[in-house]
Amino acid sequence: MVELTIVGRLADGLPLAQGPRYVNKDNENFIFYRQQAEFILKEISRGALTPSKMTILIDHHSFNYLVENGVCFITLCDSSYPRKLAFYYLQDLQKEFEKLDNTLIHKITSPYTFHKFDGVIRHIRKQYVDTRTQANLSKLNADRQKDIDIVTQHISEIWERKRNSETTVATHPAAPTIWGSPLLEVIALKWTPITIVVAAASVLLWASLILTEDFIISTL
């Protein structure tokens, strides 16, 4: 069964819309799965997950996502739900989304406020609840030899990669530029006294030349 659906903006990972809640668990588990979906959306938006289609395993469920034209469609299904049908569902969502005014998408600033699409998700989901309908059986049987080879990972792998990348950044900070860096301090400590001495000598030399010139003029 399709249990959770989120549509998000790829540019910044902002979740725009979500379908009705169908996770048959308590509220805490629903929040957990939605947080995982939001994490996946953020990872896609920052380029950590590059495939345009992917299946991510979690517990006895799987997230399937589809990225098209700067928008990401994510759905959570139980492990018994046919993956092929899940992607047909995402494709139908994407087609309906393309019919909307694209300028509206860029104006949204708060998560889950594109309520206009919530109803679309609800309507399309109803068509995929029963996998045994004639329409869904036809989709499952279509192009059996041409099923897309979709990348599959476990959510734990993605979290581990995220933690490793953060650890790498923390232990190997970017090399500081010369300005405002310890290197600049060393250079300043070394050359400042020399610069002062040279400047003082230049002033004394200039003063002596002026005095000499005045003396010569006065003796003429």
Side-chain angles (χ1 to χ4, degrees), residues 6 8-15 34-50 56 65 67 72 74 109 111-112 158-159 162 166:
I6 288 180
R9 189 167 59 201
L10 199 62
D12 55 3
L14 180 73
R34 191 172 73 170
Q35 289 174 339
Q36 297 304 302
E38 292 170 351
F39 165 69
I40 292 170
L41 177 60
K42 283 293 186 182
E43 290 299 281
I44 298 170
S45 70
R46 75 182 188 91
L49 297 174
T50 54
I56 299 172
Y65 75 73
V67 176
C72 181
I74 304 175
T109 57
Y112 302 113
I158 300 172
W159 274 108
K162 170 75 170 176
E166 292 175 345

Side-chain angles (χ1 to χ4, degrees), residues 39-91:
F39 165 69
I40 292 170
L41 177 60
K42 283 293 186 182
E43 290 299 281
I44 298 170
S45 70
R46 75 182 188 91
L49 297 174
T50 54
S52 60
K53 296 180 180 181
M54 190 171 180
T55 294
I56 299 172
L57 306 177
I58 177 171
D59 301 332
H60 300 294
H61 295 76
S62 64
F63 283 108
N64 299 286
Y65 75 73
L66 170 69
V67 176
E68 287 287 346
N69 299 324
V71 181
C72 181
F73 305 86
I74 304 175
T75 186
L76 174 73
C77 305
D78 60 62
S79 57
S80 63
Y81 194 81
R83 181 169 69 168
K84 187 175 182 180
L85 210 55
F87 278 98
Y88 269 111
Y89 167 67
L90 295 176
Q91 288 170 5

Side-chain angles (χ1 to χ4, degrees), residues 102-186:
N102 192 47
T103 59
L104 296 174
I105 311 306
H106 303 291
K107 296 178 181 178
I108 298 174
T109 57
S110 300
Y112 302 113
T113 54
F114 194 32
H115 302 300
K116 183 177 181 179
F117 202 67
D118 291 351
V120 176
I121 296 173
R122 181 183 295 107
H123 173 71
I124 295 178
R125 180 196 172 275
K126 288 180 180 178
Q127 303 172 28
Y128 286 87
V129 172
D130 187 355
T131 61
R132 297 167 297 178
T133 64
Q134 187 59 47
N136 287 335
L137 289 175
S138 297
K139 292 173 183 176
L140 289 172
N141 292 326
D143 299 327
R144 282 190 169 185
Q145 302 302 320
K146 297 181 180 180
D147 286 351
I148 301 174
D149 185 16
I150 298 173
V151 176
T152 301
Q153 286 190 9
H154 196 279
I155 190 72
S156 61
E157 299 177 62
I158 300 172
W159 274 108
E160 183 66 23
R161 192 158 58 241
K162 170 75 170 176
R163 285 190 289 267
N164 289 340
S165 65
E166 292 175 345
T167 302
T168 301
V169 171
T171 56
H172 298 86
T177 60
I178 187 172
W179 304 109
S181 68
L183 179 61
L184 181 59
E185 295 179 7
V186 173

